[in-house]
Amino acid sequence: FGCGQSTESHNYDEEILRLAAFDMVNETISDGFGLLLRTREERMVVIAFGRQDESALYEQTFRLAEEARHRIEKFLKFTVTVGIGRVCSSASGLPGSYSGALSALEYRFLLGKNRIHSILD
């Protein structure tokens, strides 16, 4: 008999945590504020939308991202880093906004993890 976790068990535990984090983010944005997706790279993507002006939408997105980040840290005991892209006025701007969010996420190596990074910063 060996001690420790098997690779398969470890992968299973990681998947359970990912699903729990996904559920927490989904609950945070459940007011019809956005659409939550999961990518092949195991990232969560929120497409936020609303009728408010760009500044108000950005502020609400930042606030909800911080709430989700805090809840994951508090209840699941691990950290996440969030990248926020630019607000766009049509679906054709989504790829650019997503690229911006990924670029903002890269700043975690300079500015630190367990934070919200915006491409506007």
PDB file of all heavy atoms in Angstrom, residues 37-47 83-88 91-105 119:
ATOM      1  N   LEU A  37     -19.452  30.663 -19.291  1.00  0.00           N
ATOM      2  CA  LEU A  37     -18.978  29.576 -20.142  1.00  0.00           C
ATOM      3  C   LEU A  37     -17.694  29.007 -19.560  1.00  0.00           C
ATOM      4  O   LEU A  37     -16.984  29.674 -18.816  1.00  0.00           O
ATOM      5  CB  LEU A  37     -18.690  30.090 -21.557  1.00  0.00           C
ATOM      6  CG  LEU A  37     -19.778  30.885 -22.241  1.00  0.00           C
ATOM      7  CD1 LEU A  37     -19.229  31.578 -23.470  1.00  0.00           C
ATOM      8  CD2 LEU A  37     -20.935  29.979 -22.605  1.00  0.00           C
ATOM      9  N   ARG A  38     -17.377  27.797 -19.956  1.00  0.00           N
ATOM     10  CA  ARG A  38     -16.113  27.172 -19.558  1.00  0.00           C
ATOM     11  C   ARG A  38     -15.365  26.801 -20.837  1.00  0.00           C
ATOM     12  O   ARG A  38     -15.929  26.188 -21.734  1.00  0.00           O
ATOM     13  CB  ARG A  38     -16.413  25.926 -18.731  1.00  0.00           C
ATOM     14  CG  ARG A  38     -15.234  25.371 -18.026  1.00  0.00           C
ATOM     15  CD  ARG A  38     -15.706  24.365 -16.998  1.00  0.00           C
ATOM     16  NE  ARG A  38     -14.677  23.380 -16.797  1.00  0.00           N
ATOM     17  CZ  ARG A  38     -14.808  22.321 -16.047  1.00  0.00           C
ATOM     18  NH1 ARG A  38     -15.941  22.082 -15.427  1.00  0.00           N
ATOM     19  NH2 ARG A  38     -13.819  21.480 -15.903  1.00  0.00           N
ATOM     20  N   THR A  39     -14.090  27.181 -20.918  1.00  0.00           N
ATOM     21  CA  THR A  39     -13.313  26.924 -22.127  1.00  0.00           C
ATOM     22  C   THR A  39     -12.596  25.585 -22.041  1.00  0.00           C
ATOM     23  O   THR A  39     -12.523  24.970 -20.981  1.00  0.00           O
ATOM     24  CB  THR A  39     -12.254  28.030 -22.346  1.00  0.00           C
ATOM     25  OG1 THR A  39     -11.248  27.906 -21.348  1.00  0.00           O
ATOM     26  CG2 THR A  39     -12.876  29.412 -22.322  1.00  0.00           C
ATOM     27  N   ARG A  40     -12.025  25.180 -23.132  1.00  0.00           N
ATOM     28  CA  ARG A  40     -11.232  23.947 -23.171  1.00  0.00           C
ATOM     29  C   ARG A  40      -9.991  24.057 -22.296  1.00  0.00           C
ATOM     30  O   ARG A  40      -9.454  23.056 -21.846  1.00  0.00           O
ATOM     31  CB  ARG A  40     -10.790  23.644 -24.601  1.00  0.00           C
ATOM     32  CG  ARG A  40     -11.909  23.197 -25.469  1.00  0.00           C
ATOM     33  CD  ARG A  40     -11.366  22.792 -26.833  1.00  0.00           C
ATOM     34  NE  ARG A  40     -12.442  22.821 -27.784  1.00  0.00           N
ATOM     35  CZ  ARG A  40     -12.390  23.370 -28.981  1.00  0.00           C
ATOM     36  NH1 ARG A  40     -11.274  23.936 -29.385  1.00  0.00           N
ATOM     37  NH2 ARG A  40     -13.425  23.348 -29.775  1.00  0.00           N
ATOM     38  N   GLU A  41      -9.530  25.282 -22.093  1.00  0.00           N
ATOM     39  CA  GLU A  41      -8.326  25.515 -21.280  1.00  0.00           C
ATOM     40  C   GLU A  41      -8.656  25.591 -19.796  1.00  0.00           C
ATOM     41  O   GLU A  41      -7.833  26.031 -19.003  1.00  0.00           O
ATOM     42  CB  GLU A  41      -7.630  26.817 -21.709  1.00  0.00           C
ATOM     43  CG  GLU A  41      -7.120  26.815 -23.127  1.00  0.00           C
ATOM     44  CD  GLU A  41      -8.213  27.181 -24.134  1.00  0.00           C
ATOM     45  OE1 GLU A  41      -9.254  27.757 -23.733  1.00  0.00           O
ATOM     46  OE2 GLU A  41      -8.042  26.868 -25.317  1.00  0.00           O
ATOM     47  N   GLU A  42      -9.864  25.185 -19.420  1.00  0.00           N
ATOM     48  CA  GLU A  42     -10.325  25.191 -18.028  1.00  0.00           C
ATOM     49  C   GLU A  42     -10.435  26.601 -17.448  1.00  0.00           C
ATOM     50  O   GLU A  42     -10.254  26.814 -16.263  1.00  0.00           O
ATOM     51  CB  GLU A  42      -9.421  24.320 -17.129  1.00  0.00           C
ATOM     52  CG  GLU A  42      -9.372  22.877 -17.546  1.00  0.00           C
ATOM     53  CD  GLU A  42     -10.743  22.197 -17.561  1.00  0.00           C
ATOM     54  OE1 GLU A  42     -11.665  22.630 -16.853  1.00  0.00           O
ATOM     55  OE2 GLU A  42     -10.894  21.230 -18.317  1.00  0.00           O
ATOM     56  N   ARG A  43     -10.739  27.565 -18.309  1.00  0.00           N
ATOM     57  CA  ARG A  43     -11.007  28.917 -17.853  1.00  0.00           C
ATOM     58  C   ARG A  43     -12.514  29.121 -17.791  1.00  0.00           C
ATOM     59  O   ARG A  43     -13.260  28.512 -18.542  1.00  0.00           O
ATOM     60  CB  ARG A  43     -10.433  29.949 -18.821  1.00  0.00           C
ATOM     61  CG  ARG A  43      -8.941  29.997 -18.834  1.00  0.00           C
ATOM     62  CD  ARG A  43      -8.471  31.165 -19.698  1.00  0.00           C
ATOM     63  NE  ARG A  43      -7.040  31.223 -19.718  1.00  0.00           N
ATOM     64  CZ  ARG A  43      -6.297  30.906 -20.762  1.00  0.00           C
ATOM     65  NH1 ARG A  43      -6.858  30.507 -21.880  1.00  0.00           N
ATOM     66  NH2 ARG A  43      -4.986  30.968 -20.692  1.00  0.00           N
ATOM     67  N   MET A  44     -12.933  30.018 -16.916  1.00  0.00           N
ATOM     68  CA  MET A  44     -14.325  30.444 -16.892  1.00  0.00           C
ATOM     69  C   MET A  44     -14.392  31.796 -17.579  1.00  0.00           C
ATOM     70  O   MET A  44     -13.535  32.657 -17.353  1.00  0.00           O
ATOM     71  CB  MET A  44     -14.837  30.571 -15.459  1.00  0.00           C
ATOM     72  CG  MET A  44     -15.102  29.247 -14.805  1.00  0.00           C
ATOM     73  SD  MET A  44     -15.814  29.455 -13.173  1.00  0.00           S
ATOM     74  CE  MET A  44     -14.312  29.544 -12.209  1.00  0.00           C
ATOM     75  N   VAL A  45     -15.390  31.977 -18.419  1.00  0.00           N
ATOM     76  CA  VAL A  45     -15.575  33.222 -19.143  1.00  0.00           C
ATOM     77  C   VAL A  45     -16.989  33.720 -18.858  1.00  0.00           C
ATOM     78  O   VAL A  45     -17.949  32.965 -19.019  1.00  0.00           O
ATOM     79  CB  VAL A  45     -15.395  33.018 -20.665  1.00  0.00           C
ATOM     80  CG1 VAL A  45     -15.683  34.295 -21.431  1.00  0.00           C
ATOM     81  CG2 VAL A  45     -14.004  32.496 -20.973  1.00  0.00           C
ATOM     82  N   VAL A  46     -17.088  34.961 -18.438  1.00  0.00           N
ATOM     83  CA  VAL A  46     -18.390  35.585 -18.248  1.00  0.00           C
ATOM     84  C   VAL A  46     -18.560  36.643 -19.331  1.00  0.00           C
ATOM     85  O   VAL A  46     -17.703  37.524 -19.484  1.00  0.00           O
ATOM     86  CB  VAL A  46     -18.517  36.239 -16.856  1.00  0.00           C
ATOM     87  CG1 VAL A  46     -19.836  36.998 -16.738  1.00  0.00           C
ATOM     88  CG2 VAL A  46     -18.399  35.193 -15.760  1.00  0.00           C
ATOM     89  N   ILE A  47     -19.637  36.532 -20.075  1.00  0.00           N
ATOM     90  CA  ILE A  47     -20.007  37.580 -21.018  1.00  0.00           C
ATOM     91  C   ILE A  47     -21.067  38.401 -20.303  1.00  0.00           C
ATOM     92  O   ILE A  47     -22.201  37.954 -20.124  1.00  0.00           O
ATOM     93  CB  ILE A  47     -20.541  36.996 -22.341  1.00  0.00           C
ATOM     94  CG1 ILE A  47     -19.475  36.113 -22.986  1.00  0.00           C
ATOM     95  CG2 ILE A  47     -20.979  38.122 -23.271  1.00  0.00           C
ATOM     96  CD1 ILE A  47     -19.954  35.352 -24.201  1.00  0.00           C
ATOM     97  N   GLY A  83      -9.273  38.405 -15.265  1.00  0.00           N
ATOM     98  CA  GLY A  83      -8.933  39.405 -16.273  1.00  0.00           C
ATOM     99  C   GLY A  83     -10.213  39.956 -16.866  1.00  0.00           C
ATOM    100  O   GLY A  83     -11.116  39.191 -17.195  1.00  0.00           O
ATOM    101  N   ILE A  84     -10.308  41.269 -16.982  1.00  0.00           N
ATOM    102  CA  ILE A  84     -11.495  41.912 -17.547  1.00  0.00           C
ATOM    103  C   ILE A  84     -11.097  42.653 -18.812  1.00  0.00           C
ATOM    104  O   ILE A  84     -10.154  43.450 -18.812  1.00  0.00           O
ATOM    105  CB  ILE A  84     -12.140  42.893 -16.540  1.00  0.00           C
ATOM    106  CG1 ILE A  84     -12.603  42.129 -15.293  1.00  0.00           C
ATOM    107  CG2 ILE A  84     -13.310  43.639 -17.180  1.00  0.00           C
ATOM    108  CD1 ILE A  84     -13.200  43.011 -14.212  1.00  0.00           C
ATOM    109  N   GLY A  85     -11.821  42.383 -19.894  1.00  0.00           N
ATOM    110  CA  GLY A  85     -11.585  43.045 -21.172  1.00  0.00           C
ATOM    111  C   GLY A  85     -12.395  44.328 -21.293  1.00  0.00           C
ATOM    112  O   GLY A  85     -13.044  44.766 -20.353  1.00  0.00           O
ATOM    113  N   ARG A  86     -12.370  44.901 -22.476  1.00  0.00           N
ATOM    114  CA  ARG A  86     -13.096  46.153 -22.734  1.00  0.00           C
ATOM    115  C   ARG A  86     -14.583  45.883 -22.945  1.00  0.00           C
ATOM    116  O   ARG A  86     -14.966  44.834 -23.455  1.00  0.00           O
ATOM    117  CB  ARG A  86     -12.558  46.834 -23.990  1.00  0.00           C
ATOM    118  CG  ARG A  86     -11.153  47.316 -23.854  1.00  0.00           C
ATOM    119  CD  ARG A  86     -10.726  48.087 -25.108  1.00  0.00           C
ATOM    120  NE  ARG A  86      -9.342  48.485 -25.006  1.00  0.00           N
ATOM    121  CZ  ARG A  86      -8.916  49.569 -24.361  1.00  0.00           C
ATOM    122  NH1 ARG A  86      -9.772  50.353 -23.767  1.00  0.00           N
ATOM    123  NH2 ARG A  86      -7.635  49.855 -24.313  1.00  0.00           N
ATOM    124  N   VAL A  87     -15.378  46.864 -22.587  1.00  0.00           N
ATOM    125  CA  VAL A  87     -16.813  46.811 -22.873  1.00  0.00           C
ATOM    126  C   VAL A  87     -16.981  47.002 -24.374  1.00  0.00           C
ATOM    127  O   VAL A  87     -16.303  47.827 -24.988  1.00  0.00           O
ATOM    128  CB  VAL A  87     -17.559  47.928 -22.103  1.00  0.00           C
ATOM    129  CG1 VAL A  87     -19.025  47.979 -22.507  1.00  0.00           C
ATOM    130  CG2 VAL A  87     -17.418  47.720 -20.601  1.00  0.00           C
ATOM    131  N   CYS A  88     -17.855  46.211 -24.982  1.00  0.00           N
ATOM    132  CA  CYS A  88     -18.122  46.364 -26.412  1.00  0.00           C
ATOM    133  C   CYS A  88     -19.627  46.508 -26.617  1.00  0.00           C
ATOM    134  O   CYS A  88     -20.423  46.030 -25.817  1.00  0.00           O
ATOM    135  CB  CYS A  88     -17.551  45.206 -27.219  1.00  0.00           C
ATOM    136  SG  CYS A  88     -18.050  43.573 -26.687  1.00  0.00           S
ATOM    137  N   ALA A  91     -21.873  42.090 -30.525  1.00  0.00           N
ATOM    138  CA  ALA A  91     -21.255  40.766 -30.449  1.00  0.00           C
ATOM    139  C   ALA A  91     -19.965  40.697 -31.261  1.00  0.00           C
ATOM    140  O   ALA A  91     -19.067  39.923 -30.925  1.00  0.00           O
ATOM    141  CB  ALA A  91     -22.240  39.700 -30.926  1.00  0.00           C
ATOM    142  N   SER A  92     -19.837  41.510 -32.281  1.00  0.00           N
ATOM    143  CA  SER A  92     -18.618  41.480 -33.096  1.00  0.00           C
ATOM    144  C   SER A  92     -17.394  41.939 -32.307  1.00  0.00           C
ATOM    145  O   SER A  92     -16.264  41.637 -32.679  1.00  0.00           O
ATOM    146  CB  SER A  92     -18.788  42.338 -34.350  1.00  0.00           C
ATOM    147  OG  SER A  92     -18.976  43.695 -33.992  1.00  0.00           O
ATOM    148  N   GLY A  93     -17.596  42.652 -31.199  1.00  0.00           N
ATOM    149  CA  GLY A  93     -16.490  43.100 -30.370  1.00  0.00           C
ATOM    150  C   GLY A  93     -16.068  42.102 -29.315  1.00  0.00           C
ATOM    151  O   GLY A  93     -15.061  42.303 -28.623  1.00  0.00           O
ATOM    152  N   LEU A  94     -16.809  41.001 -29.171  1.00  0.00           N
ATOM    153  CA  LEU A  94     -16.492  40.016 -28.133  1.00  0.00           C
ATOM    154  C   LEU A  94     -15.105  39.381 -28.275  1.00  0.00           C
ATOM    155  O   LEU A  94     -14.409  39.242 -27.269  1.00  0.00           O
ATOM    156  CB  LEU A  94     -17.569  38.939 -28.069  1.00  0.00           C
ATOM    157  CG  LEU A  94     -18.904  39.379 -27.473  1.00  0.00           C
ATOM    158  CD1 LEU A  94     -19.932  38.257 -27.582  1.00  0.00           C
ATOM    159  CD2 LEU A  94     -18.742  39.835 -26.040  1.00  0.00           C
ATOM    160  N   PRO A  95     -14.674  38.985 -29.477  1.00  0.00           N
ATOM    161  CA  PRO A  95     -13.321  38.404 -29.577  1.00  0.00           C
ATOM    162  C   PRO A  95     -12.233  39.355 -29.089  1.00  0.00           C
ATOM    163  O   PRO A  95     -11.304  38.948 -28.388  1.00  0.00           O
ATOM    164  CB  PRO A  95     -13.164  38.081 -31.064  1.00  0.00           C
ATOM    165  CG  PRO A  95     -14.570  37.893 -31.556  1.00  0.00           C
ATOM    166  CD  PRO A  95     -15.384  38.891 -30.763  1.00  0.00           C
ATOM    167  N   GLY A  96     -12.346  40.630 -29.417  1.00  0.00           N
ATOM    168  CA  GLY A  96     -11.362  41.605 -28.967  1.00  0.00           C
ATOM    169  C   GLY A  96     -11.411  41.805 -27.462  1.00  0.00           C
ATOM    170  O   GLY A  96     -10.373  41.940 -26.811  1.00  0.00           O
ATOM    171  N   SER A  97     -12.618  41.807 -26.894  1.00  0.00           N
ATOM    172  CA  SER A  97     -12.759  41.949 -25.449  1.00  0.00           C
ATOM    173  C   SER A  97     -12.164  40.738 -24.736  1.00  0.00           C
ATOM    174  O   SER A  97     -11.480  40.876 -23.716  1.00  0.00           O
ATOM    175  CB  SER A  97     -14.235  42.109 -25.079  1.00  0.00           C
ATOM    176  OG  SER A  97     -14.384  42.264 -23.689  1.00  0.00           O
ATOM    177  N   TYR A  98     -12.402  39.543 -25.272  1.00  0.00           N
ATOM    178  CA  TYR A  98     -11.840  38.320 -24.691  1.00  0.00           C
ATOM    179  C   TYR A  98     -10.312  38.342 -24.760  1.00  0.00           C
ATOM    180  O   TYR A  98      -9.639  38.026 -23.775  1.00  0.00           O
ATOM    181  CB  TYR A  98     -12.400  37.091 -25.401  1.00  0.00           C
ATOM    182  CG  TYR A  98     -11.870  35.781 -24.879  1.00  0.00           C
ATOM    183  CD1 TYR A  98     -12.181  35.355 -23.592  1.00  0.00           C
ATOM    184  CD2 TYR A  98     -11.054  34.971 -25.660  1.00  0.00           C
ATOM    185  CE1 TYR A  98     -11.696  34.149 -23.104  1.00  0.00           C
ATOM    186  CE2 TYR A  98     -10.569  33.773 -25.180  1.00  0.00           C
ATOM    187  CZ  TYR A  98     -10.893  33.360 -23.902  1.00  0.00           C
ATOM    188  OH  TYR A  98     -10.404  32.175 -23.413  1.00  0.00           O
ATOM    189  N   SER A  99      -9.772  38.764 -25.893  1.00  0.00           N
ATOM    190  CA  SER A  99      -8.307  38.881 -26.016  1.00  0.00           C
ATOM    191  C   SER A  99      -7.758  39.873 -25.000  1.00  0.00           C
ATOM    192  O   SER A  99      -6.700  39.643 -24.393  1.00  0.00           O
ATOM    193  CB  SER A  99      -7.917  39.329 -27.425  1.00  0.00           C
ATOM    194  OG  SER A  99      -8.226  38.334 -28.360  1.00  0.00           O
ATOM    195  N   GLY A 100      -8.481  40.960 -24.788  1.00  0.00           N
ATOM    196  CA  GLY A 100      -8.062  41.943 -23.794  1.00  0.00           C
ATOM    197  C   GLY A 100      -8.082  41.370 -22.391  1.00  0.00           C
ATOM    198  O   GLY A 100      -7.184  41.634 -21.586  1.00  0.00           O
ATOM    199  N   ALA A 101      -9.103  40.576 -22.090  1.00  0.00           N
ATOM    200  CA  ALA A 101      -9.188  39.940 -20.769  1.00  0.00           C
ATOM    201  C   ALA A 101      -8.020  38.982 -20.566  1.00  0.00           C
ATOM    202  O   ALA A 101      -7.429  38.936 -19.485  1.00  0.00           O
ATOM    203  CB  ALA A 101     -10.520  39.215 -20.622  1.00  0.00           C
ATOM    204  N   LEU A 102      -7.671  38.217 -21.606  1.00  0.00           N
ATOM    205  CA  LEU A 102      -6.521  37.312 -21.503  1.00  0.00           C
ATOM    206  C   LEU A 102      -5.222  38.086 -21.312  1.00  0.00           C
ATOM    207  O   LEU A 102      -4.357  37.678 -20.536  1.00  0.00           O
ATOM    208  CB  LEU A 102      -6.434  36.414 -22.740  1.00  0.00           C
ATOM    209  CG  LEU A 102      -7.527  35.368 -22.902  1.00  0.00           C
ATOM    210  CD1 LEU A 102      -7.335  34.595 -24.210  1.00  0.00           C
ATOM    211  CD2 LEU A 102      -7.564  34.420 -21.726  1.00  0.00           C
ATOM    212  N   SER A 103      -5.090  39.211 -22.013  1.00  0.00           N
ATOM    213  CA  SER A 103      -3.893  40.040 -21.846  1.00  0.00           C
ATOM    214  C   SER A 103      -3.824  40.598 -20.431  1.00  0.00           C
ATOM    215  O   SER A 103      -2.757  40.599 -19.813  1.00  0.00           O
ATOM    216  CB  SER A 103      -3.900  41.205 -22.845  1.00  0.00           C
ATOM    217  OG  SER A 103      -3.763  40.723 -24.161  1.00  0.00           O
ATOM    218  N   ALA A 104      -4.957  41.055 -19.910  1.00  0.00           N
ATOM    219  CA  ALA A 104      -4.997  41.569 -18.542  1.00  0.00           C
ATOM    220  C   ALA A 104      -4.614  40.478 -17.548  1.00  0.00           C
ATOM    221  O   ALA A 104      -3.922  40.731 -16.561  1.00  0.00           O
ATOM    222  CB  ALA A 104      -6.383  42.116 -18.220  1.00  0.00           C
ATOM    223  N   LEU A 105      -5.025  39.266 -17.834  1.00  0.00           N
ATOM    224  CA  LEU A 105      -4.721  38.138 -16.957  1.00  0.00           C
ATOM    225  C   LEU A 105      -3.217  37.869 -16.887  1.00  0.00           C
ATOM    226  O   LEU A 105      -2.708  37.453 -15.848  1.00  0.00           O
ATOM    227  CB  LEU A 105      -5.458  36.896 -17.474  1.00  0.00           C
ATOM    228  CG  LEU A 105      -5.646  35.730 -16.544  1.00  0.00           C
ATOM    229  CD1 LEU A 105      -6.319  36.157 -15.253  1.00  0.00           C
ATOM    230  CD2 LEU A 105      -6.478  34.659 -17.230  1.00  0.00           C
ATOM    231  N   ILE A 119      -7.919  45.257 -18.491  1.00  0.00           N
ATOM    232  CA  ILE A 119      -7.137  45.752 -19.623  1.00  0.00           C
ATOM    233  C   ILE A 119      -7.127  47.280 -19.636  1.00  0.00           C
ATOM    234  O   ILE A 119      -6.205  47.894 -20.154  1.00  0.00           O
ATOM    235  CB  ILE A 119      -7.668  45.176 -20.966  1.00  0.00           C
ATOM    236  CG1 ILE A 119      -6.654  45.382 -22.097  1.00  0.00           C
ATOM    237  CG2 ILE A 119      -9.016  45.761 -21.315  1.00  0.00           C
ATOM    238  CD1 ILE A 119      -5.358  44.654 -21.909  1.00  0.00           C
TER     239      ILE A 119
END
